[in-house]
Amino acid sequence: MTERDEKLKVTPPPENSAGIHAVTNALRHLYGKMGPIRATRGMLRLNQKGGIDCQSCAWPDPENRTINEFCENGAKALADEATKQKVGREFFAEHSVEELAAMSDFWLNSKGRLTEPMILREGGTHYEPVSWEAAIGLVAEKLNSLATPDEAIFYTSGRTSNEAAFLYQLFVRQFGTNNLPDCSNMCHESTSVALAESIGLGKATIRLEDFEQTDLVIVIGQNPGTNAPRMLASLAAAKAAGAKMIAINPLPEVGLTSFVDPNPQHGNPLSVLGLRPSKLADLHLPVRIGGDMAVLKGLMKIMLERERAEPGSVFDRNFIEEKTAGFAELEAELDATDWAAILEGSGLTRGEIEEAAEMIIAARSFITCWAMGVTQHTAAVATIQDIVNLHLLRGAIGRPGAGLCPVRGHSNVQGDRTMGIAEKMTPAFRQALEREFDFKTAERDGFNTVESIATMRDGKAKVFFAMGGNFVAASPDTAAVSAAVQNCDLTVQVITKLNRTALTPGKVSLILPCLGRSEIDGEQFVSTESTMLNVQMSKGIFEPASEHLRSEVWIVCQPAAATLGERSNVDWHAFAADYDKIRDAIERVVPGFENYNQRIRKPGGFYLPSPPRDGVFPTPAGKALFRPSPLEYTTVPPGRMLMTTIRSHDQFNTTIYGLDDRYRGIDGGRRVIFMHAEDIAELGLAGGDRVDITSFWEDGERHVHGFTVVPYKIPRGCTAAYFPEANPLVPLGSFARRSFTPTSKCIVVSVAASDEW
Ligand SMILES: Nc1nc2c(c(=O)[nH]1)N[C@H]1C(S)=C(S)[C@@H](COP(=O)(O)OP(=O)(O)OC[C@H]3O[C@@H](n4cnc5c(=O)[nH]c(N)nc54)[C@H](O)[C@@H]3O)O[C@H]1N2
Ligand SMILES: Nc1nc2c(c(=O)[nH]1)N[C@H]1C(S)=C(S)[C@@H](COP(=O)(O)OP(=O)(O)OC[C@H]3O[C@@H](n4cnc5c(=O)[nH]c(N)nc54)[C@H](O)[C@@H]3O)O[C@H]1N2
Ligand SMILES: [Mo]
């Protein structure tokens, strides 16, 4: 799994994001992998109304679309899926599983698309071809032989369409379990838990147009330049309309500093030549890792002081009075929080926090955007509730230009949840599902990702079925999750590309290759939901990579029919033949999908209702809740540091497109650790040195070896390394309270010269 970074080159990060490099890089990936004709056809359909919903992030598409409505990383995602490279039966005959398991994620992905179902038989050394019929029969037989349905785990990644996701959870629930962990558990679960409790809906309260009506955008714990590049156009539009911007991030990400719009049609014809960069962040707060709650409490404390000095000058008293509950408790909590702790936790000066507070006070409306830098911490739920608290104080939810903008990751991760992919059902969803399909769901909540790993490790789950994703590489604690998955009797991967999980097999392992979103699925189309609740259709245009590929919907329906037989009254084959029928069923189960089939065919689709956006808070109290909590941050003993794990510009989660990270000046390598120059010197190290990293948790130490030290602008005591290379360091037992999201952004580590090389 390791990769020697012999060609690693480190240069200073560039000054601007996007620009001409983004265009040339996009074209290099598209033309290189797809050829010019396919590439051009693909580009013209990506993110267009009625076209292909981009496989990359969940950022929504604007109402008025230009012909180039995609970004560099969307182009990479398309090229990666529509590549002409293939891994067929000859490839698997040539390479044993053991041999493949020793290769890097980059190498595995670069070999191309899977083309036919493959099986690794018990005691076998190589994957061999298997018919769809035999593979499905095997899945059904194994599932039906379990002592209880709870011995099976059904994982989902966030690229799965609404239609496939809805049927998948129906299959799993009719089978008799709620074991539906998903990538969301490792991602925005903290957001869903926090927002559902505070405002009654676990999703965004703004739409794209709000960026043009806002006075201030706060981007906290998110790197849009790499992970939601089209968001930079919205930030630039906000700035052009006079808004200010604050970035709260331990790293000075270039995507947050300056942007050159590579799309001349977005109204800046000179920008593509690099002539007119938009300056983005007006203020960068280089927060210490895990110090966000301290920053938020500091901001609110300053606002409270000002409000007391001049009542009504800062807080929106009417809003607080009419729409919220719990203000007095928040006030008391803020009074109990002392400045010394805020400064220690945030690693900032009071002056820096005051400057940000002044900007918030000066703004009539503001938007806060966040992602993994906030969600993957022990106190993530409480931190997100402090973001909500900050908004509630100013009445900044449910009016134009003001609101909450969690930026979700996978292109349909939000839709999958809306469709019922969740280990816990809401009572309303449970009732509607049982009524529509006339069956009784299992009462017990299912296992989330962390619990699933522990259950498999303990031998209490025997089948691991994955609808997409790369569970072993994406999960925390690589050693623990590998052992857990290998402990199963049967592992099944419904995937498009060969990955680490398929090479960490149970006793018997199946690879079931599916169509990608860019490929023609007969007459059918699917739909997805963006991070701003816009539901749109997506229709593939390319001939499938192989005639043996099947759609995700088909791959759910066949084992469902074979496993459940007479036990299910669902006509699975009818669903597989006509996705309109699935949408009709969704409409009857999930609120907000009225006239689904009709509205999904309208150019641009439709929006699901967001009551908080309209100033209605569907909590049990019917009000938005201030949810105060005591200040928390992680302290480290001498000799130890904090580590955060981040994405490079050349990856989509565990899919590694290349070994560069252009925006951080990294070329040709991924096993790097970013450190402050003074910390490097204090350890007697120098930039370019090889080090081993150890993480510490109550159950012991974890290690990774042979990382290269890169001096970087990062707060003292903080370090960063790439996901998934650093995942062996994330302890399985370290997760956010109440959301169980692994704390991938806050690991206590030590760094020492490597004795490996
Ligand atoms: N091209 C591309 N697009 C993607 C993905 C991808 O891998 N590649 N992944 C998709 C997915 S699933 C997701 S969830 C999103 C992820 O999108 P992001 O959340 O933007 O991704 P990360 O790289 O994890 O970066 C988090 C940011 O948080 C900062 N950070 C780290 N620790 C802290 C902290 O303690 N406090 C604060 N304030 N900031 C911190 C990091 O410096 C980094 O800038 O992107 C989605 N889009
Ligand atoms: N240390 C650390 N760990 C993390 C994170 C972090 O920031 N730090 N981030 C976490 C986050 S936010 C997330 S979302 C998870 C991601 O976890 P996952 O969603 O499980 O991982 P991906 O890498 O997105 O999955 C990639 C695989 O999906 C398959 N695939 C691609 N397209 C399709 C498709 O259309 N259909 C199907 N069926 N399969 C397809 C391909 O075979 C590919 O190998 O990782 C988490 N892990
Ligand atoms: Mo994610």
Side-chain angles (χ1 to χ4, degrees), residues 623-657:
K623 290 192 165 194
L625 306 180
F626 283 104
R627 298 275 312 175
S629 55
L631 174 58
E632 278 178 71
Y633 53 91
T634 307
T635 50
V636 293
R640 302 213 177 143
M641 289 188 275
L642 292 175
M643 172 178 272
T644 188
T645 58
I646 52 175
R647 290 155 167 83
S648 80
H649 197 59
D650 257 2
Q651 73 183 84
F652 188 91
N653 298 340
T654 68
T655 299
I656 311 301
Y657 304 134

Side-chain angles (χ1 to χ4, degrees), residues 155 157 159 183 186-187 372 376 410 467-471 474 494-497 499 514-516 552 645 647 652-655 723 727 730 744-745:
Y155 176 69
S157 170
R159 218 175 253 188
C183 68
M186 299 185 258
C187 185
M372 298 304 101
Q376 300 174 333
H410 264 295
M467 179 52 68
N470 187 1
F471 189 75
V494 181
I495 48 179
T496 52
K497 297 294 253 333
N499 67 28
C514 65
L515 294 172
E552 289 181 336
T645 58
R647 290 155 167 83
F652 188 91
N653 298 340
T654 68
T655 299
F723 146 55
N727 285 39
V730 189
S744 310
K745 292 285 185 279

Side-chain angles (χ1 to χ4, degrees), residues 120 145 151 177 191 214 237 249 317 436 579 618 620 751:
L120 180 70
S145 71
E151 286 186 347
T177 180
T191 299
T214 194
N249 197 311
R317 290 282 174 184
E436 170 70 14
Y579 300 180
V751 177

Side-chain angles (χ1 to χ4, degrees), residues 371-388:
M372 298 304 101
V374 174
T375 64
Q376 300 174 333
H377 291 277
T378 318
V381 174
T383 304
I384 294 161
Q385 292 188 322
D386 267 337
I387 294 178
V388 181

